[in-house]
Amino acid sequence: MKLKNKEKADLRVIIMGGGIGGTATAVALQNEGIHAEIYEQVSAIKEVGAGIGMRPPSVELFKD
């Protein structure tokens, strides 16, 4: 089902978790014109020493 711009503007999405998945989801939704709010339980976002491994085909998706 494809939404019209007016329908997208009326949507409000709540995302639970401000990690890489939640943040990426919020950005993708906002790029489509859909309002997204992120709720995170920690009081401050900081580095946790984790890494993200990406294979070459995945990296290609980020190139413009």
Side-chain angles (χ1 to χ4, degrees):
M1 177 173 96
K2 187 140 174 104
L3 297 175
K4 298 175 184 171
N5 286 340
K6 171 72 171 110
E7 292 170 325
K8 287 181 183 180
D10 290 340
L11 286 176
R12 299 285 185 255
V13 176
I14 294 173
I15 298 169
M16 304 305 286
I20 189 71
T23 302
T25 301
V27 169
L29 288 170
Q30 289 183 349
N31 284 342
E32 290 296 317
I34 299 171
H35 177 80
E37 290 185 34
I38 301 173
Y39 291 88
E40 174 59 52
Q41 69 179 353
V42 297
S43 59
I45 304 295
K46 60 183 178 179
E47 292 182 31
V48 293
I52 300 172
M54 295 178 65
R55 297 187 42 82
S58 301
V59 174
E60 291 298 318
L61 295 173
F62 290 96
K63 293 182 179 177
D64 236 332

